[in-house]
Amino acid sequence: MLLKNTYDVVIIGSGPGGLAAAVEAKKEGAQDVLVIERDVELGGILLQCIHNGFGLEIFNEDLPGPSYAQRYIDESLALGVETLLDTIVLEVTPGRKIYASSKKYGFVEINARAIVLAMGCRERTRAMIRIPGMRPAGVFTAGTAQRFVNVEGIMPGNKFVILGSGDIGMIMARRLTFEGAKVERVLEILPYLSGLTRNYVQCLQDFDIPLQFQHTVKFIHGKKRVEAVEIAAVDENWNFIPGTEELIPCDTLLLSVGLIPENELSRKVGVELDPITGGPYVDESRQTNVPGIFAAGNVVHVYDLADWVTLAGYEAGKGAAKFAMALRAKETAHIPVNAGKNVHHVVPQSINKYVLEQDEIELQLRVLKPIEDRSVIEVHDGNHQIVRRVVRYVRPGEMNTIKLKPRHFADVEKASSLTVDVSPR
Amino acid sequence: MVEKRKLICISCPVGCELTVTLDGDNILEVEDNACKLGLDYAQQEIFDPKRMVATSVKVKNGFHPLVPVYTEHPIPKPMIKDVLAEVRKVEIEAPVDFNQIVIENVLDTGVNIIASRNMPKV
Ligand SMILES: Cc1cc2nc3c(=O)[nH]c(=O)nc-3n(C[C@H](O)[C@H](O)[C@H](O)COP(=O)(O)OP(=O)(O)OC[C@H]3O[C@@H](n4cnc5c(N)ncnc54)[C@H](O)[C@@H]3O)c2cc1C
Ligand code: SF4
């Protein structure tokens, strides 16, 4: 693939949000659409979510994550969406330049008429919830373990405790059980489930995996590898209740304690973030406060259903395509201003005709030969005169000017070029 | 004997808590289901519980060492372990096609195990 200099819509991230935006941008008429993905393949987080439960809203089918992703991968490629894999976007500028580092192309610079941010989210880690204890190996986020088990084929441990009753944690409890591991306990600090009830039923209840509410990890034991975790009950204020401590021997602790939108790029370009969601403020077309920069999916707020991410992606893709098409129309709005009869040169050499909708444009010119009598400076489109001005004389040593005004816009809009002539009256 | 049983419908993410009134082999009433899928679920779950199963199989020469697979339709819940053991025995060759049948009619359940995605060859 030959990378273009400029794309109508560039989408950062190829999860369901990004792919939906790409598909919809194409359908809305954007010609050059590019998806940039740091992973080696398209699909985003869905590729590691091999369990069912996707697509009920959109396809009315119960699909595994990879199947759901595959449909959008196939559709976007069929529509001619271009992709740049193994490429991480480093920075986006308010002028919509994208700087990225690519395995294949090295450092790349791409211009976008519109951008869709679809970088998804990342998981909260041990450091973010400050679990006391030693620092052994064997503490993973549930999503990391999911990637190990489902994509890379590596079991991260044998005996697990899972902290957090989020969906990813419960789904991993079942998955690890399928692979022969023992899940000793799932702990939830809140008095209620933080994931979906259906996941409680089919992931924990079905396999007799015990879940304890209002319990959390108090201390992690282990020199090189996790050897045990000490757990305890907490009150409403999350204070440990003395005497409820219990030591659970295990070799791995998984954390399923929340997701945060991934907004480093957004922040750098000046996209305003909502402190409540952690994602950009967006309007109904999913446009952020930076014109031409749109956002959709988990980067905006954390969704529990990929189907809804897809729907948000459609909105963003549509908005981005409209924005890009309007810009493209303006770009083709540039027409040349030629030096005609007895004119040495004209500045500016080209104009954006849409500027005339609002503002006037002054053309500056020098003549080739003097005319020591009343003369006419005329701007025409090859057939029709648009504006003329009478001056007392013209001399090469003295610059002349003529103005195009908003009232000339109707005539100029139809023109594909302008020519300036100077002749005796 | 008439008894009441609590079930959580897992047919969609809403997760309605159903109350089922049961008289032996007869369901007399299902309450608190937000849609009629809940009725089918109660019938199924009480007399013949079934689950979708998703796991992975080894791939030779694939872009990744595993390809995700799933049961095309739900299978009887008591058979999950055996089906998983059956799937674990299989190793397939890349390239794998999206929806390709990996095991036909697994353990005579009438259900195929199919691939969730493409797996290109390296
Ligand atoms: C671990 C996990 C499990 C989930 N399980 C379920 C589930 O069971 N059912 C369900 O309905 N939903 C589930 N979800 C939620 C659902 O999958 C997500 O809501 C959905 O995938 C989000 O889509 P997205 O397009 O916003 O982001 P993602 O799918 O996360 O895609 C974002 C993409 O952006 C790329 N990216 C990020 N930054 C850059 C950069 N700087 N340059 C280039 N590329 C970049 C990432 O590599 C990634 O591929 C889960 C989410 C997670 C995190
Ligand atoms: S009864 Fe209907 S709405 Fe309620 S969980 Fe079942 S399928 Fe969903």
Side-chain angles (χ1 to χ4, degrees), chain A residues 101-162:
Chain A
S101 169
S102 164
K103 178 100 180 241
K104 182 162 167 210
Y105 297 93
F107 183 76
V108 289
E109 193 181 316
I110 294 165
N111 295 298
R113 295 191 175 92
I115 293 174
V116 179
L117 305 172
M119 290 91 71
C121 60
R122 67 164 75 109
E123 296 176 279
R124 276 154 50 93
T125 59
R126 174 177 180 182
M128 298 169 93
I129 57 167
R130 302 202 199 126
I131 308 174
M134 302 191 240
R135 294 276 181 278
V139 181
F140 301 97
T141 61
T144 304
Q146 190 176 45
R147 164 117 197 161
F148 281 158
V149 178
N150 291 347
V151 181
E152 326 243 343
I154 301 165
M155 275 297 278
N158 299 309
K159 258 180 134 180
F160 290 80
V161 168
I162 299 178

Side-chain angles (χ1 to χ4, degrees), chain B residues 9 11-12 14-16 33-35 37-38:
Chain B
C9 177
S11 305
C12 91
V14 176
C16 296
N33 53 312
C35 82
L37 282 181

